[in-house]
Amino acid sequence: MSVRADHPPGIILPAVVFVLLIIELLAVTALTIAYRESSVANQMTSAARAELAARAGLMQLTRDSTLHVQVLAPGARLNLPARASDDGASHVIVLERLSSSLFLARATGSHGPAQRRIRADAVLLFTSPDPLAILAQFHSALGSAGPVSLSGGALADGSTGADVPNQWTAADCTSWLPPSMALTGITIEPITSFDRLGGWSLSTVDSLADRHEAGALDLVSVASGDACLRSSAGNWGAPLVHAHPCSGYFPLIYSAGDLTLGAGAGQGILVVNGDLALSSSTRFFGLVLVRGRLLMAGNSEIVGAVLAQSAALDGAHVVRSDCALARALQNAPALNRLTPRPGRAWLPHF
């Protein structure tokens, strides 16, 4: 005997359709969850890459040799060009000078598709050499701790501080640095003035100098096309030729011993841990610190300011120039380097 189960007509097909709908709904839900999780993961990845781009951009400032941060007055801001990395991230940086030696840099990094680009900020405090501390060390045209000899019509003139050097224009001399109030040609300085450059010891000057020189050399400006060949021997910029590619090059120069300049012209900041001799017609524009004797012959000239333990000028001139001092302090590559502030440098951002 057999038993047959009878089902009401029209029940099986709707049940199958209902089951398929449930399965499809579950699949769509699973796909939606997976998509959302993937989207969240992508956003988290983009956020991480954006923050890394911002932080990396800030750290790159410590290696950027093209920066001219010293031209910024306290309170002024500089918008740096946007930069992109190989992974699609990019960053922009705004640099603000807070004081003569402190800078705040805010970077915004971004990553992801154009429609859903994720952004992240990073803020870092930097320090730089303080130009005001260096400037305060030079009180006159010529400061000395020992005897100063002037002969043959030699001159130490502190009254020319506000004058624009003949080779330059007033636009070249624009600066936030305060003008000199000194009208003195020669001052007597303490011995301690010759063991430092602003807040730097001479060993620090040695380690950070843009150029190291020794012995005797002639000053020759060297360029290739529009490029200044800064590493060329005796290339201390081109103070006498405004259109020269090296006219904006003001190196920090260090000599560990005696130095003799035979001919030519240069500019920048010169520190000599020994005697300095300038031959006839040699010219230098900027700051000069000599731990030994300064010997200047003939028509040699220093335009800016000098500190020397003792000096003998025979027909030579030392003239005070705020313009030459400002240009040297603002343009020396060594003084335009940024360093993260010791201690707490990274700041929270909102």
Side-chain angles (χ1 to χ4, degrees):
M1 184 171 88
S2 63
V3 178
R4 186 178 64 183
D6 293 327
H7 298 281
I11 293 297
I12 294 177
L13 183 60
V16 171
V17 171
F18 178 76
V19 170
L20 291 176
L21 288 174
I22 294 297
I23 293 173
E24 184 177 359
L25 180 61
L26 291 174
V28 170
T29 301
L31 288 173
T32 301
I33 293 174
Y35 173 78
R36 288 179 177 176
E37 289 181 347
S38 175
S39 178
V40 170
N42 289 337
Q43 290 180 357
M44 293 178 65
T45 299
S46 291
R49 289 184 176 178
E51 183 169 358
L52 286 174
R55 288 177 172 265
L58 291 176
M59 293 309 299
Q60 287 174 2
L61 295 181
T62 63
R63 303 182 296 273
D64 192 339
S65 61
T66 65
L67 283 177
H68 278 76
V69 299
Q70 294 294 0
V71 301
L72 290 177
R77 294 183 178 183
L78 176 64
N79 295 313
L80 300 178
R83 294 187 177 182
S85 55
D86 294 338
D87 66 351
S90 63
H91 69 268
V92 293
I93 296 176
V94 178
L95 184 66
E96 179 181 2
R97 189 172 205 152
L98 303 180
S99 68
S100 59
S101 62
L102 189 63
F103 292 80
L104 183 144
R106 179 183 296 274
T108 299
S110 61
H111 184 273
Q115 301 84 353
R116 299 187 303 276
R117 201 155 180 86
I118 304 298
R119 291 174 173 79
D121 292 333
V123 182
L124 185 59
L125 281 175
F126 289 97
T127 61
S128 75
D130 188 350
L132 293 182
I134 299 175
L135 190 61
Q137 196 174 343
F138 293 80
H139 302 123
S140 60
L142 172 58
S144 178
V148 175
S149 171
L150 304 178
S151 61
L155 176 68
D157 187 356
S159 67
T160 57
D163 296 347
V164 176
N166 293 333
Q167 297 75 16
W168 299 342
T169 68
D172 296 324
C173 300
T174 302
S175 172
W176 66 272
L177 295 173
S180 171
M181 301 305 293
L183 300 176
T184 307
I186 300 175
T187 54
I188 303 301
E189 301 293 336
I191 293 294
T192 53
S193 297
F194 304 91
D195 294 331
R196 59 184 175 84
L197 181 68
W200 284 348
S201 65
L202 294 191
S203 61
T204 300
V205 174
D206 183 12
S207 65
L208 297 179
D210 301 307
R211 298 190 64 95
H212 290 84
E213 306 288 9
L217 73 154
D218 295 335
L219 302 182
V220 181
S221 305
V222 183
S224 176
D226 294 332
C228 177
L229 301 183
R230 298 186 174 190
S231 61
S232 296
N235 189 355
W236 294 9
L240 304 182
V241 184
H242 197 275
H244 196 283
C246 296
S247 63
Y249 178 42
F250 289 77
L252 170 61
I253 309 142
Y254 181 77
S255 176
D258 296 347
L259 183 65
T260 298
L261 303 180
Q267 60 191 7
I269 303 172
L270 174 59
V271 178
V272 180
N273 197 3
D275 296 342
L276 172 64
L278 275 66
S279 302
S280 178
S281 300
T282 303
R283 306 182 73 185
F284 185 82
F285 294 72
L287 296 89
V288 180
L289 173 62
V290 184
R291 291 201 72 200
R293 297 176 301 163
L294 172 64
L295 307 173
M296 299 178 63
N299 297 317
S300 61
E301 182 180 45
I302 295 176
V303 179
V306 181
L307 280 174
Q309 287 276 6
S310 63
L313 282 58
D314 183 7
H317 293 172
V318 175
V319 295
R320 179 84 181 191
S321 171
D322 291 339
C323 179
L325 298 178
R327 294 194 76 189
L329 291 170
Q330 291 181 166
N331 290 287
L335 270 65
N336 280 280
R337 295 170 186 163
L338 293 175
T339 303
R341 187 185 68 168
R344 187 178 180 183
W346 294 98
L347 299 182
H349 50 86
F350 304 98

